[in-house]
Amino acid sequence: MVTLNSKIPQGPLSEKWTKYKADQKLVNPANKRKLDVIVVGTGLAGASAAASLGALGFNVKIFCISDSPRRAHSIAAQGGVNAAKNYPNDGDSIGRLFYDTIKGGDYRAREANVYRLAEVSNNIIDQCVAQGVPFARDYAGMLDNRSFGGAQVSRTFYAKGQTGQQLLLGAYSALSKEIKAGTVKMYERKEMMDVVLVDGKARGIITRDLQTGKLERWFGHAVVVATGGYGNVYFLSTNAMNSNGSAAWQCYKKGACFANPCYVQIHPTCIPVHGDYQSKLTLMSESLRNDGRIWVPKNIEDSVAIREGRLKPTDIAEENRDYYLERRYPAFGNLVPRDIASRAAKERCDAGYGVGTGQAVYLDFSSAIKRLGKDKVEARYGNLFQMYEKITAQNPYETPMMIYPAVHYTMGGLWVDYELQTTVEGLFAAGEANFSDHGANRLGASALMQGLADGYFVLPYTIQNYLSSEIYSQPIPTTVPEFDAAEKAVAEKIEKLMSIKGTKSVDTFQKELGHIMWNKVGMGRTAQGLQEAIPMLKALKEDFWANVRITGDTNSMNPELEKALRLSDHIELAQLMAKDALHREESCGGHFREEHQTEEGEAKRNDEQFMYVAAWEYQGEGVEPQLHKEELNYEFIKVQQRNYK
Amino acid sequence: MNLTLKIWRQENARAKGRFETYKVENISPDCSFLEMLDILNEQLVDKLSHPVCFDNDCREGICGMCGLYINGRPHGPDDGVTTCQLHMRRFKDGDTIVIEPWRARPFPVIRDLVVDRTAFDKIIQEGGYVSVTTGGVPDGNAIPIPKKNADEAMDAAACIGCGACVAACKNASAMLFVSAKVSQLALLPQGRPEAARRVQAMVAKMDELGFGNCTNTYACEAECPKQIKRSNIARMNREFLCAKVCSEE
Ligand SMILES: Cc1cc2nc3c(=O)[nH]c(=O)nc-3n(C[C@H](O)[C@H](O)[C@H](O)COP(=O)(O)OP(=O)(O)OC[C@H]3O[C@@H](n4cnc5c(N)ncnc54)[C@H](O)[C@@H]3O)c2cc1C
Ligand code: SF4
Ligand code: FES
């Protein structure tokens, strides 16, 4: 059984990281060359970690699913990246970014980690600028900022509507430089299928070559998992098609605790669902909420008329529009955090005021166009408007956009200590794959910050504290029984899946899983719904293993098999999510239990009983996982009810 | 709508490929092109055949992973979109759609519509970066960058590395792709110190990997889903000449 030790350094909050760095053990250059580090994933977290570790002199191997490291899902982030630079002189500071992040996360994140994140945020911007990331600039040639949800200052740096792309290409360029230098070896189209433990320590991984189907073994003195989040458990999400929680799940099954699986972020501004053939949902950046105003008709008859096509949104007079966010939250208005904006949209639609299919609200730019002129609006959001028009064939300059919340990000993930080490020695997790710094809700533009903080500025230090004790460990040959057993288990799983030869396609199961999760473990959760979800998921798992049909072969490229393998893990992960959501008898951040709300319909936390991180430990197939609690102590921040009014 | 699809099928790099004809029915005009292929693949699974392989990930035009030659045009009939952003409302009931992989020597077919584009990564590895390592860099605002340069650099940096430019070019030239990266870094003060070495190394690698010469037809610009401008090629040529002249001095 594991014991959770968060390894938070002693001392005042603002000195912890400095002190840690001063005290930690380092590895000398000659020894670095002898140490192998495996990094899985080439998103912001993985690419930045591998590039930094390679530059330090370690032998790095890095893996990804796609055909090039540049294509990781991080590329799709639009809005921006936060940092406490305070360039606009509007009162920002490390302390304020720290405070906003803790509060935004509904007091469910670890203070020391979040403070460190805020501290290194400024280095990220400097690093990216030095790499040639073309951030937006003002006419003086200085870096420009915009504001994002959950903050009253402008601290978000951006590169048009393609910030993730530019940051990832920056990290990819740093990675490319190390690949050229020979310190990092890149392996594309190879999917991690398991982590290999020798004497209780992570010592390598098993991968499947997605072109040949070949299973391969890789040794590392340490393994870093930076494989992103598990939003695709819901089938429809804003995540890329190949994003998956499979690698994290394999780590869980090898003993790494999985923390807060029920904390899922539902993003308020996505293009609504329009057909059952739909494969994914498209995000409209949160930055749109800077100038767009969200509304539904005030009168239910108008909503009905719009849904039936008898009225157009532009027919509704100003006084008959309900700008419900501005009404309910005058202080933050349209810029309330995501969980709040999403729930407010659901509330209006459930009450019958929705437009479109009934599951949509308006995001209107007409006042911004009046105030700023079309050119300025175009300069700010042109590419997003274009993207919207391409998908919906509607012109947002003339008619308001329609939006609805969609699954977007997972705050939960592998439990890690202050050093980003999981409960398995030598196994580290970075980026969205860990349970990270966002508590129960992540603020906009903070995932990019966290991914790069982990990869550039945290792991390169903390992993050395571990590796310094490994300098006497000779590389383990991948012929030892532990590697044999791990590879055999993967081969057997694949064989079993292929031999089912059932009647239902993988997509049928994906959609069914998504359906259960969205309806019962989605935006508004109830004990009853969750209790229904648990047997449904169990039945789905049985059905899957009895009736899935996978065509094609195992020794060449086979996307059906890839999907099936990930889905088999997602079904199990979904079970844990439901279990976690049921156990957490409170509402906090992205986890909203309808039984626990205030009279005004706001989330009601239960700090007395639930001010902890729920870390689940695998106990074996068919056995209930064990819950470990990491109590959260707020020494520096006064815990309050979150208020954006 | 009902459609006939003629799709290139090829088991692996060595196998001989062929066109296969399929029918799909009741396709909604709001369906995306790749969702239409998902529907086809569901049918194929139903008939116990191997689904058509095609690369894709973000499905919103940013990762550069998708890329199909549709009715003779990379990324299909619309300008300025990737394959995943193409919607079926662009087609008519009864249409026949021919779907092929990128065809270019440096991008060998892996299976069906999937090609190997690692040649692009190899070009970037030759110098598509500023050689900084993590830490020890100046403040982000230490060097002002004229807005015009920053914006132009951003426009060049918008390249998604999809390879449509190469597929569109009769010589399979990678000039647009390479020049986009060279331009981005040439326009920024951070990229200047290595500019000469960078352009020479990247161009040499491009030639070595078998990409053809640019004969100024600019099919690349016309087919680029991110509308990367040909002026980048002109800039790269200037940078290249300048680098040569300087190194000969
Ligand atoms: C549409 C969208 C917009 C967003 N906008 C913003 C924003 O504006 N600001 C912000 O801060 N955040 C934003 N986010 C969130 C942010 O983009 C992500 O949280 C972040 O990029 C995750 O980075 P990562 O490095 O952890 O993982 P990812 O970028 O998801 O990378 C995962 C990597 O792991 C690899 N991988 C996965 N499984 C395996 C396996 N089994 N074997 C081998 N490799 C594997 C993948 O190939 C990939 O390389 C957005 C997210 C979405 C979906
Ligand atoms: S230049 Fe255009 S076509 Fe070529 S790789 Fe870049 S985005 Fe694709
Ligand atoms: S799938 Fe990412 S650009 Fe088309």
Side-chain angles (χ1 to χ4, degrees), chain A residues 148-208:
Chain A
F148 248 54
Q152 287 169 315
V153 294
S154 284
R155 62 160 73 101
T156 305
F157 294 78
Y158 64 101
K160 274 202 169 163
Q162 288 132 269
T163 317
Q165 177 194 33
Q166 294 311 317
L167 296 181
L168 184 64
L169 293 181
Y172 162 77
S173 74
L175 183 66
S176 297
K177 170 179 163 292
E178 295 307 319
I179 294 172
K180 174 71 183 171
T183 59
V184 178
K185 279 218 52 105
M186 177 71 230
Y187 299 94
E188 305 92 359
R189 295 199 200 261
K190 287 196 199 291
E191 183 161 352
M192 166 178 159
M193 304 304 294
D194 205 355
V195 52
V196 182
L197 271 47
V198 179
D199 296 330
K201 291 181 176 176
R203 290 303 193 192
I205 60 170
I206 306 289
T207 60
R208 180 170 179 274

Side-chain angles (χ1 to χ4, degrees), chain A residues 625-641:
Chain A
Q626 186 171 354
L627 174 64
H628 301 277
K629 299 176 183 176
E630 180 197 340
E631 298 294 338
L632 293 166
N633 301 312
Y634 289 94
E635 289 176 52
F636 302 92
I637 260 189
K638 196 165 143 266
V639 177
Q640 287 166 322
Q641 165 150 10

